[in-house]
Structures are given as C-alpha cells and as structure tokens.
Amino acid sequence: MQPDPSLAPTPAAPPARLPVAPAEPVLMVEHVDKSFGDNHVLRDFSLALHRGENVVVLGKSGSGKSVLIKCIIGLLLPDAGRITVLGQDVTGLGHQQMDELRARVGFLFQSNALYDSMTVRENLLFPLRRHWLRHRRAEEDALVREVLDDVGLAHTATLMPAELSGGMRKRIALARTLILRPDIILYDEPTTGLDPVTSREISHLIRAVQQKYNASALIISHDMSCVRLTADRVALLLDGRCYADGRYEELAASADPRIHEFFA
Amino acid sequence: MPNYPILAEAGGMAHFAGRFFRDGFRPRYEVSEWLYQCYVIGYQSLPLVGVTGFIMGIVLTLQSRPTMAQFGAESWIPAMVGLTIIREMGPIITALIFAGKIGSSIGAELGSMRVTEQIDAMEVSGTNPFKYLVVTRVLATTLMLPVLTLLADAIALYASYIGLNMRGVTTLALFVNNVLSRLAFGDVLPAFIKTFFFGFAVGLIGCYKGFYADKGTEGVGQAANSAVVVSSLVIFILDLVAVQLTGLLGLN
Ligand SMILES: Nc1ncnc2c1ncn2[C@@H]1O[C@H](COP(=O)(O)OP(=O)(O)OP(=O)(O)O)[C@@H](O)[C@H]1O
Ligand SMILES: [Mg+2]
C-alpha cells in the first residue's frame, strides 16, 4: 500500500510487531450521517479499524449496519462525514481509483451475492479477471485451489451456486473475497441463517483468515457466539451512533441496560 | 403538482436510455460479454421465431386464397402475402414474440440479480454493472431482432410457397419472381429499419425493469411481467410512428 504520511509511524515509534504498539488505522469512519427520506439511519457515526484487528459492529436488525458497510465500500453515498479507507477518502474518489481501492477491500454480502449463472470457479475468478489482474491459466487454477482449500470446499469448483447449501455458499462467497488478498474484509452478518455448528465453523474461519492473511476485518453481526469468537473489539450501533466501543468482556460486564440487553 | 406514475416511468426510461448512450460508447468495452449475449439472445429465440414465421406464412396464404379466388386474382397471392409479411407481419410478430421471450428473460435475470445483490457485487468487483449487463444486452437485442426478423420473413415466404402448393401448383422460381416484382425499396427498407428500434425497445425496457426491480421475489416476477407488457405496447407505438414517418417521407 502507499503510505499516507500522516499515518506513517514516527521514527521513534517502536516496531509495529510489539503487542503494545498501536497499529495504524486502515479504516476510519468519521461523523457519518445517512438518511433515506425521513428515516435517519446513521447520525454522527464514528469508528476506526486498525491493521490486523477484528472489529464487530453490533446492532439490532434494521439499525443501519448494512447501510454503514455499504457506505464504506462506496455503494451508498453518506450525506455527511468522512470515510477513509487505506488512507483514501472514499467519498471523493473517481471510478478508476475506487475500483483500485475496492480490489484491496473484500466485501462479504449478507445475501452472499454469488452469480447464479456462473460455476463456483467462474464466481471466484470474476473479481480477479475484472480487476485486470491477468493471470495465466495455471496461476488461476492454483489461486482457485488455494482459496477453496482455505474455506474447506476443494471439490466444489465445477458446481453451480444453486447446488450448494447455505453454509457452503457463505464459504464460497468468502473465498471470492479472499482471492484478491484484501487488506480489509467487510463481513455483513456472516453467520445469520446458519445452524449453530456451521455458524461456529464460519467464525473460526474468519479467525483463521485473519491470521493467515493478516487482514483487518469489520464484522457486522448480532450472533453473540460469532461476536465472542471473532471480535478483538466490539462497537455498538444504537440510534445511528456508535453507542459504546470496547473489548467483548468490557461490554459484557457493563451495567448500562442498553448495552446489557445484547449480552443477556 | 399531481403525481403521474406513467410520466415518472417514461422519464425514468428516458433517463436510462440517456445513460445507455452516454456510458455505452465509452471504454471499457465488454466485447466478449456482448458476443455471448448476441449468441444467447439470438439462439434462444430461433426456434420460436422460426415456427411462428412458418405458421404466419402458411396461414396468411390459406386465408387469403378464397377471397382472392372470388376476384380471380389467385396469381396475386404471392405478391400480396409477400408484401404483408415483409412490410408488417414479419417485423411486428417477430418483435412481439421476441418481447415475450427475451424481454421477460432479461427482466427476470437482471431483476433477480438486483434482488440478490449480484449487481452490487459486480460493482465492488471492479465492474460497471450498467455496461456489463445493460449495454451488452441492449446492443445484442438491437442487433439480433433485425436478423431474426429477416429469418422469419424468409421462413414465412417459404411457408407461403408451400401453402400455395397445397391447393395448386407453383414453381419456386415463379413464386419468387412474383414476390420480388411487387417489392419496392420503400417496402423493404423502412420495415427493416424499424426492427432495430423494436429490438432496442425490448432490450432497454427489459433491462430497465430488471435493473430497478423492487426487493423481494415479487419484484422479479413483476419485472419480467411488466417488461413484456410495456415493451409490447411500445412496439405497437413505434410501429404507428414508423407508418406515419414513412408516409411523410413519401416512402409508402
Ligand atoms: N436503499 C435503501 N433505500 C431506502 N431505505 C433503506 C435502504 N437501505 C436501507 N434502508 C433502510 O435503512 C434502515 C437500515 O437498514 P439496514 O439494511 O442497514 O439494516 P441492518 O442493520 O443491516 O439490519 P439486518 O440486521 O436486518 O440486516 C432500514 O430501516 C431500511 O429500511
Ligand atoms: Mg443488514
């Protein structure tokens, strides 16, 4: 990545590997407002995500979590505020720069959004080919095999999405975001609608991915077991604001009834 | 100001068409996807267009025979049927069949892609979904409908020849000669040109309906359905406009 001067560590700072060193923020959401007509979904929402960190955004259904994540990836335009991804202001980018940025940010859709008319292999190769990352066929095969191995579905390359179960589709969708080796992955409710066992497997997968690729992740969820397994930090989205922000244990121990009801 | 949904709809489509002309001719060009769509769209409707063309030719011939026989004008059948097919029946019937088959499938396909966020997924995968999905399909329908119409015309004429031979004897050479002798440039060209507009309308309306489909599975069905209804209607309106225009230009 191209280092933003303001984000570069000062020479005196200790090497980033030390556990105490604060990592650079890779994603900053600052005072974002977003409304649809009279429906004020986000009001003055702020959040930062640091390198190598998993942050879970917790919130009720309909509280605007998907809207937040779509603003981050540039599918929706915030009414006010600033969103900085990997040092670039998302709201001010042209098409070309936006595409370049999106190649480095993976997005796992709540509905998976696998292309029905393509096989699993074609689904995986679509982002690769469309981002002009030309590869030889052997390289493509190797990449497909690797990401399919990552998600534990090595044998599915020739199947159509309709032939997969819900959990498998979620994994393939994850593989499709992994194939570009993103620096940041945005997960929109990765475990919703899955049985507890599969849901736990997906949560472990998210952890494994973070470790293998050293990617940062913003995870949207209201599945508490997923939150516990994946979160380094939890942010609570309430009334369109970031109501609370802290480690899982801190929030779980909170006496505030509005926070407590999520952990009950 | 009162709210007229039909005006809003027409405005939305006009805007969509404007975007087609603005975005469609700027790189990057989705050539391989366009060729694939041409293949799919042309190939899918081939059997249907062939069968309707055949039936149209044979029915027109058999139906007109008794009337023409009353006036002792049976030898005029090839010329009359040929004119009817090439000027009006071929283009309009093919376009309507095409609207039913391709308009609905485009509406349903894009509609379900919208509903399941596949269009958004394309957008974040470095692809302009408008170019990749809409421009390719509209260009493909605009190009394939004229080709299909020519094919339907040819099949219908051949069917007419068969129809004639069911009750009498005509040679193919005489039949062709009969048709061609009555056919003027002004009959063929306007009829051919309007098929491009029909194809454009089917593709554009199908894409518009699908691209802006409402969320939920109902949205998909509705997109497919209204794509067919609206494009059929627009085909008739365009046909009316075409008749008036060719009249004004003195081509009638
Ligand atoms: N494109 C849109 N147009 C209008 N309103 C929208 C749009 N997208 C979302 N909304 C509204 O924004 C609010 C938040 O929606 P959002 O999808 O972000 O909820 P969510 O927190 O992701 O819920 P869930 O957990 O059920 O996915 C809802 O009231 C919804 O009606
Ligand atoms: Mg959501």
Side-chain angles (χ1 to χ4, degrees), chain A residues 17-38:
Chain A
R17 204 151 300 173
L18 287 183
V20 283
E24 52 175 329
V26 285
L27 167 67
M28 296 230 280
V29 180
E30 296 164 278
H31 311 294
V32 163
D33 290 347
K34 177 73 191 174
S35 40
F36 299 99
D38 287 338

Side-chain angles (χ1 to χ4, degrees), chain A residues 36-89:
Chain A
F36 299 99
D38 287 338
N39 182 4
H40 301 286
V41 181
L42 297 177
R43 302 178 221 195
D44 197 25
F45 185 89
S46 299
L47 181 73
L49 174 70
H50 300 94
R51 179 162 298 281
E53 185 186 36
N54 277 1
V55 171
V56 171
V57 176
L58 199 59
K60 289 197 187 123
S61 192
S63 58
K65 303 182 298 306
S66 297
V67 169
L68 169 67
I69 217 165
K70 282 181 182 163
C71 286
I72 292 173
I73 197 80
L75 286 172
L76 290 173
L77 202 63
D79 300 333
R82 230 162 74 100
I83 297 176
T84 318
V85 179
L86 297 168
Q88 286 178 290
D89 186 350

Side-chain angles (χ1 to χ4, degrees), chain A residues 70 102 111 116 130 132, chain B residues 28 30 117-118 123 127:
Chain A
K70 282 181 182 163
R102 280 169 175 168
S111 58
D116 296 326
R130 302 302 301 181
W132 289 116
Chain B
R28 99 201 232 191
E30 308 283 0
E117 299 184 304
Q118 291 174 52
E123 176 114 38
T127 300

Side-chain angles (χ1 to χ4, degrees), chain A residues 103-226:
Chain A
R104 300 166 58 200
V105 181
F107 184 12
L108 185 67
F109 282 83
Q110 188 166 356
S111 58
N112 299 330
L114 293 178
Y115 306 120
D116 296 326
S117 56
M118 304 182 197
T119 64
V120 166
R121 186 190 142 81
E122 286 162 349
N123 261 287
L124 297 180
L125 290 178
F126 189 85
L128 205 62
R129 291 182 173 157
R130 302 302 301 181
H131 279 298
W132 289 116
L133 305 173
R134 297 259 169 214
H135 291 270
R136 261 180 253 106
R137 189 167 167 102
E139 287 174 286
E140 286 185 344
D141 283 340
L143 278 168
V144 167
R145 210 170 320 118
E146 186 185 353
V147 288
L148 283 179
D149 275 340
D150 283 342
V151 298
L153 288 174
H155 56 287
T156 54
T158 55
L159 298 181
M160 299 300 282
E163 299 172 278
L164 305 174
S165 74
M168 288 161 94
R169 266 180 239 167
K170 190 63 84 184
R171 285 158 188 262
I172 297 299
L174 177 56
R176 190 175 64 181
T177 58
L178 288 181
I179 202 162
L180 289 172
R181 301 281 150 78
D183 297 317
I184 305 176
I185 307 178
L186 310 171
Y187 297 90
D188 195 351
E189 306 202 9
T191 60
T192 302
L194 302 177
D195 65 87
V197 179
T198 315
S199 152
R200 208 168 319 126
E201 283 171 10
I202 298 275
S203 303
H204 285 300
L205 199 54
I206 293 174
R207 266 289 176 213
V209 162
Q210 181 203 15
Q211 268 143 27
K212 177 168 178 191
Y213 296 103
N214 189 30
S216 324
L218 188 72
I219 304 157
I220 288 193
S221 187
H222 38 51
D223 168 4
M224 292 317 288
S225 85
C226 168

